[in-house]
Amino acid sequence: MNNLLIDIGNSVIKTAEGSRSNNLITKIRKKPYLKRDFKKEFSEFLISINFKTEFNLIGVSSLNKSNNLFLRKSIKKHFGKESIFINNKIHLPIKIEYTSSIGNDRICNAVAADNLFPGKNILVIDFGTATTYTLVSEKILKGGIISPGILTAFNSLKDKTSLKFSNISFPEKLIGQTTEDNIKSGIMNQTLIFCEYVINEIRKSHRGLKVIITGGFSEFMSNRSKLFDLTDRELVFKGVNLIIKYNENINKRINN
């Protein structure tokens, strides 16, 4: 049996299946949601998928902790078993040096990154609602940076001004002749240039730094810089799968 993996971000619900024998991620499904309708939309999403298999473990990464009780009850009702919620209090294969709670998606990214490059210096850049930078050094999550995400920046300009755009993409030229191309160039290149600045600065103190990019908007960035070593859209799911298997193994040792 596979594991069921659930990733709830700031605007999208995603599910996938994670292999028990390796870390292969399959059957990814996703649904955008409105925060005011989250409970209704999550319940409808589970019903609509109509899972036809049983799962060994169920792991959940959710950014909004206030939904955890609802999620726990809903998942138990739907699948008949308890789920493991990712946070910085459960057993993890890495250490965390962070003075306050850190997003569970970033914990998952860090664990998956360390699994891909064991014990190395790694920077994970996640292009989501926010663009986050998470530094992992020798199996320790050291901290990072949070900046506005690409879509967040576009929507901010749209909401605060009369500027309009039709889609998110890099324009053909840095200097554009239309307002839409001006907006695209400003937001996309600003994001890219800051990414490269951060990478170059961190490399001064962390030799052999590996850079992994992930998140919904990573596809726009993947071929834009030679400083990116790997693009992996499934990084959070891989982290969830690794963490719940790690906890299962520890619990087995404790019980034995």
mmCIF file of all heavy atoms in Angstrom, residues 67-104:
data_model
loop_
_atom_site.group_PDB
_atom_site.id
_atom_site.type_symbol
_atom_site.label_atom_id
_atom_site.label_comp_id
_atom_site.label_asym_id
_atom_site.label_seq_id
_atom_site.Cartn_x
_atom_site.Cartn_y
_atom_site.Cartn_z
ATOM 1 N N ASN A 67 -7.081 24.974 11.147
ATOM 2 C CA ASN A 67 -7.902 23.978 10.458
ATOM 3 C C ASN A 67 -7.570 22.543 10.867
ATOM 4 O O ASN A 67 -8.227 21.606 10.413
ATOM 5 C CB ASN A 67 -7.711 24.090 8.937
ATOM 6 C CG ASN A 67 -8.352 25.335 8.363
ATOM 7 O OD1 ASN A 67 -9.406 25.763 8.822
ATOM 8 N ND2 ASN A 67 -7.723 25.920 7.356
ATOM 9 N N ASN A 68 -6.540 22.370 11.704
ATOM 10 C CA ASN A 68 -6.041 21.023 11.954
ATOM 11 C C ASN A 68 -7.065 20.088 12.598
ATOM 12 O O ASN A 68 -7.143 18.910 12.236
ATOM 13 C CB ASN A 68 -4.777 21.080 12.814
ATOM 14 C CG ASN A 68 -3.559 21.492 12.017
ATOM 15 O OD1 ASN A 68 -3.642 21.762 10.823
ATOM 16 N ND2 ASN A 68 -2.410 21.557 12.676
ATOM 17 N N LEU A 69 -7.845 20.592 13.553
ATOM 18 C CA LEU A 69 -8.840 19.737 14.196
ATOM 19 C C LEU A 69 -9.884 19.284 13.181
ATOM 20 O O LEU A 69 -10.256 18.097 13.140
ATOM 21 C CB LEU A 69 -9.504 20.468 15.355
ATOM 22 C CG LEU A 69 -10.565 19.675 16.135
ATOM 23 C CD1 LEU A 69 -9.953 18.407 16.730
ATOM 24 C CD2 LEU A 69 -11.191 20.542 17.229
ATOM 25 N N PHE A 70 -10.356 20.225 12.372
ATOM 26 C CA PHE A 70 -11.318 19.879 11.318
ATOM 27 C C PHE A 70 -10.726 18.852 10.356
ATOM 28 O O PHE A 70 -11.372 17.864 9.995
ATOM 29 C CB PHE A 70 -11.736 21.132 10.546
ATOM 30 C CG PHE A 70 -12.334 20.851 9.198
ATOM 31 C CD1 PHE A 70 -13.634 20.385 9.080
ATOM 32 C CD2 PHE A 70 -11.577 21.026 8.040
ATOM 33 C CE1 PHE A 70 -14.165 20.091 7.830
ATOM 34 C CE2 PHE A 70 -12.109 20.750 6.799
ATOM 35 C CZ PHE A 70 -13.405 20.278 6.688
ATOM 36 N N LEU A 71 -9.475 19.077 9.950
ATOM 37 C CA LEU A 71 -8.826 18.161 9.012
ATOM 38 C C LEU A 71 -8.681 16.769 9.612
ATOM 39 O O LEU A 71 -8.940 15.760 8.960
ATOM 40 C CB LEU A 71 -7.451 18.708 8.623
ATOM 41 C CG LEU A 71 -7.441 19.953 7.734
ATOM 42 C CD1 LEU A 71 -6.035 20.538 7.647
ATOM 43 C CD2 LEU A 71 -7.962 19.624 6.337
ATOM 44 N N ARG A 72 -8.253 16.725 10.873
ATOM 45 C CA ARG A 72 -8.052 15.431 11.537
ATOM 46 C C ARG A 72 -9.359 14.632 11.564
ATOM 47 O O ARG A 72 -9.389 13.432 11.252
ATOM 48 C CB ARG A 72 -7.525 15.651 12.946
ATOM 49 C CG ARG A 72 -7.012 14.394 13.622
ATOM 50 C CD ARG A 72 -6.462 14.701 15.010
ATOM 51 N NE ARG A 72 -5.312 15.588 14.957
ATOM 52 C CZ ARG A 72 -4.065 15.173 14.712
ATOM 53 N NH1 ARG A 72 -3.837 13.895 14.486
ATOM 54 N NH2 ARG A 72 -3.066 16.036 14.702
ATOM 55 N N LYS A 73 -10.445 15.310 11.945
ATOM 56 C CA LYS A 73 -11.745 14.638 12.020
ATOM 57 C C LYS A 73 -12.245 14.229 10.639
ATOM 58 O O LYS A 73 -12.780 13.119 10.465
ATOM 59 C CB LYS A 73 -12.764 15.552 12.707
ATOM 60 C CG LYS A 73 -12.517 15.749 14.192
ATOM 61 C CD LYS A 73 -13.582 16.650 14.810
ATOM 62 C CE LYS A 73 -13.385 16.804 16.310
ATOM 63 N NZ LYS A 73 -14.414 17.702 16.903
ATOM 64 N N SER A 74 -12.086 15.102 9.655
ATOM 65 C CA SER A 74 -12.572 14.807 8.304
ATOM 66 C C SER A 74 -11.835 13.624 7.694
ATOM 67 O O SER A 74 -12.441 12.740 7.074
ATOM 68 C CB SER A 74 -12.400 16.033 7.402
ATOM 69 O OG SER A 74 -13.187 17.109 7.848
ATOM 70 N N ILE A 75 -10.516 13.606 7.873
ATOM 71 C CA ILE A 75 -9.709 12.524 7.312
ATOM 72 C C ILE A 75 -10.034 11.209 8.011
ATOM 73 O O ILE A 75 -10.154 10.158 7.373
ATOM 74 C CB ILE A 75 -8.212 12.864 7.428
ATOM 75 C CG1 ILE A 75 -7.890 14.075 6.531
ATOM 76 C CG2 ILE A 75 -7.344 11.677 7.037
ATOM 77 C CD1 ILE A 75 -6.529 14.691 6.786
ATOM 78 N N LYS A 76 -10.202 11.245 9.332
ATOM 79 C CA LYS A 76 -10.553 10.042 10.086
ATOM 80 C C LYS A 76 -11.917 9.506 9.634
ATOM 81 O O LYS A 76 -12.095 8.287 9.455
ATOM 82 C CB LYS A 76 -10.587 10.366 11.581
ATOM 83 C CG LYS A 76 -11.011 9.198 12.479
ATOM 84 C CD LYS A 76 -9.941 8.140 12.536
ATOM 85 C CE LYS A 76 -10.331 6.970 13.461
ATOM 86 N NZ LYS A 76 -10.429 7.398 14.872
ATOM 87 N N LYS A 77 -12.859 10.392 9.415
ATOM 88 C CA LYS A 77 -14.189 9.985 8.978
ATOM 89 C C LYS A 77 -14.137 9.385 7.577
ATOM 90 O O LYS A 77 -14.816 8.380 7.296
ATOM 91 C CB LYS A 77 -15.135 11.198 8.998
ATOM 92 C CG LYS A 77 -16.555 10.884 8.538
ATOM 93 C CD LYS A 77 -17.426 12.125 8.589
ATOM 94 C CE LYS A 77 -18.841 11.817 8.095
ATOM 95 N NZ LYS A 77 -19.695 13.044 8.122
ATOM 96 N N HIS A 78 -13.327 9.972 6.695
ATOM 97 C CA HIS A 78 -13.296 9.544 5.295
ATOM 98 C C HIS A 78 -12.510 8.251 5.101
ATOM 99 O O HIS A 78 -12.899 7.388 4.315
ATOM 100 C CB HIS A 78 -12.687 10.662 4.435
ATOM 101 C CG HIS A 78 -12.959 10.512 2.973
ATOM 102 N ND1 HIS A 78 -14.121 10.950 2.379
ATOM 103 C CD2 HIS A 78 -12.225 9.949 1.976
ATOM 104 C CE1 HIS A 78 -14.093 10.687 1.091
ATOM 105 N NE2 HIS A 78 -12.950 10.077 0.810
ATOM 106 N N PHE A 79 -11.389 8.124 5.829
ATOM 107 C CA PHE A 79 -10.495 6.982 5.602
ATOM 108 C C PHE A 79 -10.458 5.981 6.757
ATOM 109 O O PHE A 79 -9.869 4.914 6.636
ATOM 110 C CB PHE A 79 -9.071 7.475 5.324
ATOM 111 C CG PHE A 79 -8.952 8.305 4.084
ATOM 112 C CD1 PHE A 79 -8.859 9.688 4.162
ATOM 113 C CD2 PHE A 79 -8.951 7.708 2.828
ATOM 114 C CE1 PHE A 79 -8.754 10.457 3.022
ATOM 115 C CE2 PHE A 79 -8.848 8.468 1.681
ATOM 116 C CZ PHE A 79 -8.753 9.842 1.767
ATOM 117 N N GLY A 80 -11.036 6.363 7.899
ATOM 118 C CA GLY A 80 -11.082 5.440 9.022
ATOM 119 C C GLY A 80 -9.771 5.269 9.751
ATOM 120 O O GLY A 80 -9.568 4.270 10.450
ATOM 121 N N LYS A 81 -8.859 6.246 9.624
ATOM 122 C CA LYS A 81 -7.584 6.146 10.341
ATOM 123 C C LYS A 81 -7.036 7.522 10.659
ATOM 124 O O LYS A 81 -7.407 8.521 10.020
ATOM 125 C CB LYS A 81 -6.567 5.335 9.553
ATOM 126 C CG LYS A 81 -6.187 5.911 8.209
ATOM 127 C CD LYS A 81 -4.998 5.175 7.588
ATOM 128 C CE LYS A 81 -4.978 3.718 7.835
ATOM 129 N NZ LYS A 81 -3.792 3.022 7.337
ATOM 130 N N GLU A 82 -6.143 7.547 11.648
ATOM 131 C CA GLU A 82 -5.535 8.804 12.060
ATOM 132 C C GLU A 82 -4.489 9.252 11.039
ATOM 133 O O GLU A 82 -3.906 8.437 10.315
ATOM 134 C CB GLU A 82 -4.875 8.655 13.424
ATOM 135 C CG GLU A 82 -5.853 8.382 14.564
ATOM 136 C CD GLU A 82 -6.752 9.568 14.863
ATOM 137 O OE1 GLU A 82 -6.381 10.713 14.491
ATOM 138 O OE2 GLU A 82 -7.812 9.356 15.472
ATOM 139 N N SER A 83 -4.249 10.538 11.020
ATOM 140 C CA SER A 83 -3.242 11.099 10.121
ATOM 141 C C SER A 83 -2.101 11.706 10.933
ATOM 142 O O SER A 83 -2.258 12.037 12.107
ATOM 143 C CB SER A 83 -3.866 12.163 9.212
ATOM 144 O OG SER A 83 -4.690 13.038 9.945
ATOM 145 N N ILE A 84 -0.954 11.830 10.302
ATOM 146 C CA ILE A 84 0.220 12.434 10.927
ATOM 147 C C ILE A 84 0.368 13.852 10.395
ATOM 148 O O ILE A 84 0.491 14.054 9.186
ATOM 149 C CB ILE A 84 1.492 11.624 10.612
ATOM 150 C CG1 ILE A 84 1.348 10.192 11.119
ATOM 151 C CG2 ILE A 84 2.727 12.292 11.230
ATOM 152 C CD1 ILE A 84 2.472 9.270 10.664
ATOM 153 N N PHE A 85 0.335 14.832 11.294
ATOM 154 C CA PHE A 85 0.463 16.228 10.880
ATOM 155 C C PHE A 85 1.920 16.667 11.020
ATOM 156 O O PHE A 85 2.533 16.498 12.072
ATOM 157 C CB PHE A 85 -0.447 17.122 11.717
ATOM 158 C CG PHE A 85 -1.875 17.109 11.261
ATOM 159 C CD1 PHE A 85 -2.668 15.986 11.486
ATOM 160 C CD2 PHE A 85 -2.421 18.186 10.590
ATOM 161 C CE1 PHE A 85 -3.983 15.948 11.052
ATOM 162 C CE2 PHE A 85 -3.735 18.167 10.156
ATOM 163 C CZ PHE A 85 -4.525 17.049 10.387
ATOM 164 N N ILE A 86 2.447 17.238 9.953
ATOM 165 C CA ILE A 86 3.828 17.693 9.957
ATOM 166 C C ILE A 86 3.950 18.976 10.774
ATOM 167 O O ILE A 86 3.171 19.918 10.590
ATOM 168 C CB ILE A 86 4.337 17.957 8.521
ATOM 169 C CG1 ILE A 86 4.050 16.752 7.620
ATOM 170 C CG2 ILE A 86 5.809 18.321 8.548
ATOM 171 C CD1 ILE A 86 4.673 15.468 8.064
ATOM 172 N N ASN A 87 4.916 19.017 11.681
ATOM 173 C CA ASN A 87 5.248 20.240 12.408
ATOM 174 C C ASN A 87 6.647 20.062 12.990
ATOM 175 O O ASN A 87 7.282 19.019 12.815
ATOM 176 C CB ASN A 87 4.210 20.552 13.500
ATOM 177 C CG ASN A 87 4.044 19.407 14.475
ATOM 178 O OD1 ASN A 87 5.010 18.975 15.107
ATOM 179 N ND2 ASN A 87 2.827 18.890 14.596
ATOM 180 N N ASN A 88 7.131 21.085 13.678
ATOM 181 C CA ASN A 88 8.502 21.015 14.208
ATOM 182 C C ASN A 88 8.587 20.289 15.545
ATOM 183 O O ASN A 88 9.653 20.244 16.163
ATOM 184 C CB ASN A 88 9.100 22.417 14.330
ATOM 185 C CG ASN A 88 8.297 23.324 15.241
ATOM 186 O OD1 ASN A 88 7.244 22.934 15.761
ATOM 187 N ND2 ASN A 88 8.770 24.531 15.452
ATOM 188 N N LYS A 89 7.472 19.683 15.983
ATOM 189 C CA LYS A 89 7.470 18.962 17.259
ATOM 190 C C LYS A 89 7.599 17.455 17.077
ATOM 191 O O LYS A 89 7.901 16.746 18.037
ATOM 192 C CB LYS A 89 6.177 19.264 18.031
ATOM 193 C CG LYS A 89 5.887 20.745 18.267
ATOM 194 C CD LYS A 89 6.972 21.403 19.109
ATOM 195 C CE LYS A 89 6.628 22.875 19.369
ATOM 196 N NZ LYS A 89 7.708 23.577 20.098
ATOM 197 N N ILE A 90 7.344 16.952 15.863
ATOM 198 C CA ILE A 90 7.422 15.508 15.664
ATOM 199 C C ILE A 90 8.854 15.113 15.309
ATOM 200 O O ILE A 90 9.716 15.975 15.106
ATOM 201 C CB ILE A 90 6.434 15.038 14.569
ATOM 202 C CG1 ILE A 90 6.826 15.592 13.191
ATOM 203 C CG2 ILE A 90 5.020 15.446 14.905
ATOM 204 C CD1 ILE A 90 5.990 15.030 12.056
ATOM 205 N N HIS A 91 9.103 13.813 15.247
ATOM 206 C CA HIS A 91 10.436 13.332 14.908
ATOM 207 C C HIS A 91 10.780 13.725 13.470
ATOM 208 O O HIS A 91 9.988 13.506 12.552
ATOM 209 C CB HIS A 91 10.505 11.814 15.051
ATOM 210 C CG HIS A 91 10.224 11.320 16.424
ATOM 211 N ND1 HIS A 91 11.043 11.602 17.498
ATOM 212 C CD2 HIS A 91 9.199 10.571 16.911
ATOM 213 C CE1 HIS A 91 10.562 11.043 18.584
ATOM 214 N NE2 HIS A 91 9.438 10.415 18.272
ATOM 215 N N LEU A 92 11.965 14.299 13.304
ATOM 216 C CA LEU A 92 12.411 14.723 11.976
ATOM 217 C C LEU A 92 13.832 14.211 11.732
ATOM 218 O O LEU A 92 14.635 14.140 12.669
ATOM 219 C CB LEU A 92 12.410 16.252 11.861
ATOM 220 C CG LEU A 92 11.060 16.961 11.989
ATOM 221 C CD1 LEU A 92 11.271 18.476 12.087
ATOM 222 C CD2 LEU A 92 10.157 16.636 10.801
ATOM 223 N N PRO A 93 14.166 13.897 10.475
ATOM 224 C CA PRO A 93 15.528 13.435 10.165
ATOM 225 C C PRO A 93 16.542 14.568 10.068
ATOM 226 O O PRO A 93 17.709 14.325 9.763
ATOM 227 C CB PRO A 93 15.353 12.728 8.815
ATOM 228 C CG PRO A 93 14.167 13.377 8.199
ATOM 229 C CD PRO A 93 13.251 13.761 9.327
ATOM 230 N N ILE A 94 16.103 15.798 10.298
ATOM 231 C CA ILE A 94 17.009 16.941 10.351
ATOM 232 C C ILE A 94 16.715 17.728 11.621
ATOM 233 O O ILE A 94 15.669 17.558 12.255
ATOM 234 C CB ILE A 94 16.858 17.873 9.121
ATOM 235 C CG1 ILE A 94 15.447 18.488 9.094
ATOM 236 C CG2 ILE A 94 17.155 17.135 7.825
ATOM 237 C CD1 ILE A 94 15.271 19.580 8.040
ATOM 238 N N LYS A 95 17.633 18.605 11.995
ATOM 239 C CA LYS A 95 17.413 19.513 13.117
ATOM 240 C C LYS A 95 16.931 20.863 12.594
ATOM 241 O O LYS A 95 17.170 21.210 11.435
ATOM 242 C CB LYS A 95 18.702 19.681 13.931
ATOM 243 C CG LYS A 95 19.169 18.416 14.625
ATOM 244 C CD LYS A 95 20.433 18.662 15.435
ATOM 245 C CE LYS A 95 20.890 17.397 16.140
ATOM 246 N NZ LYS A 95 22.125 17.624 16.939
ATOM 247 N N ILE A 96 16.286 21.626 13.470
ATOM 248 C CA ILE A 96 15.780 22.947 13.079
ATOM 249 C C ILE A 96 16.311 23.997 14.043
ATOM 250 O O ILE A 96 16.120 23.889 15.253
ATOM 251 C CB ILE A 96 14.235 22.982 13.070
ATOM 252 C CG1 ILE A 96 13.691 21.992 12.031
ATOM 253 C CG2 ILE A 96 13.737 24.394 12.779
ATOM 254 C CD1 ILE A 96 12.176 21.954 11.971
ATOM 255 N N GLU A 97 16.982 24.983 13.502
ATOM 256 C CA GLU A 97 17.423 26.142 14.276
ATOM 257 C C GLU A 97 16.581 27.335 13.829
ATOM 258 O O GLU A 97 16.909 28.033 12.891
ATOM 259 C CB GLU A 97 18.911 26.419 14.048
ATOM 260 C CG GLU A 97 19.830 25.374 14.655
ATOM 261 C CD GLU A 97 21.304 25.713 14.467
ATOM 262 O OE1 GLU A 97 21.610 26.729 13.801
ATOM 263 O OE2 GLU A 97 22.150 24.939 14.956
ATOM 264 N N TYR A 98 15.470 27.536 14.524
ATOM 265 C CA TYR A 98 14.519 28.578 14.141
ATOM 266 C C TYR A 98 13.841 29.036 15.411
ATOM 267 O O TYR A 98 13.362 28.210 16.197
ATOM 268 C CB TYR A 98 13.494 28.005 13.137
ATOM 269 C CG TYR A 98 12.865 29.010 12.205
ATOM 270 C CD1 TYR A 98 13.524 29.415 11.048
ATOM 271 C CD2 TYR A 98 11.608 29.536 12.468
ATOM 272 C CE1 TYR A 98 12.954 30.313 10.167
ATOM 273 C CE2 TYR A 98 11.020 30.446 11.597
ATOM 274 C CZ TYR A 98 11.693 30.836 10.451
ATOM 275 O OH TYR A 98 11.118 31.740 9.583
ATOM 276 N N THR A 99 13.790 30.342 15.643
ATOM 277 C CA THR A 99 13.342 30.843 16.943
ATOM 278 C C THR A 99 11.830 30.798 17.135
ATOM 279 O O THR A 99 11.343 30.958 18.242
ATOM 280 C CB THR A 99 13.818 32.297 17.145
ATOM 281 O OG1 THR A 99 13.343 33.111 16.061
ATOM 282 C CG2 THR A 99 15.342 32.352 17.186
ATOM 283 N N SER A 100 11.082 30.603 16.062
ATOM 284 C CA SER A 100 9.632 30.484 16.172
ATOM 285 C C SER A 100 9.169 29.416 15.190
ATOM 286 O O SER A 100 9.971 28.811 14.492
ATOM 287 C CB SER A 100 8.951 31.828 15.867
ATOM 288 O OG SER A 100 9.260 32.254 14.557
ATOM 289 N N SER A 101 7.863 29.177 15.174
ATOM 290 C CA SER A 101 7.344 28.136 14.291
ATOM 291 C C SER A 101 7.599 28.495 12.836
ATOM 292 O O SER A 101 7.488 29.645 12.420
ATOM 293 C CB SER A 101 5.850 27.940 14.530
ATOM 294 O OG SER A 101 5.155 29.140 14.245
ATOM 295 N N ILE A 102 7.954 27.493 12.054
ATOM 296 C CA ILE A 102 8.235 27.680 10.645
ATOM 297 C C ILE A 102 7.186 26.929 9.842
ATOM 298 O O ILE A 102 6.636 25.919 10.307
ATOM 299 C CB ILE A 102 9.652 27.172 10.295
ATOM 300 C CG1 ILE A 102 10.007 27.482 8.833
ATOM 301 C CG2 ILE A 102 9.803 25.691 10.596
ATOM 302 C CD1 ILE A 102 11.458 27.219 8.502
ATOM 303 N N GLY A 103 6.858 27.426 8.657
ATOM 304 C CA GLY A 103 5.852 26.790 7.819
ATOM 305 C C GLY A 103 6.142 25.314 7.598
ATOM 306 O O GLY A 103 7.278 24.925 7.320
ATOM 307 N N ASN A 104 5.122 24.481 7.732
ATOM 308 C CA ASN A 104 5.312 23.046 7.585
ATOM 309 C C ASN A 104 5.782 22.669 6.190
ATOM 310 O O ASN A 104 6.497 21.667 6.019
ATOM 311 C CB ASN A 104 4.014 22.312 7.917
ATOM 312 C CG ASN A 104 3.550 22.585 9.332
ATOM 313 O OD1 ASN A 104 4.358 22.682 10.245
ATOM 314 N ND2 ASN A 104 2.256 22.731 9.526
#
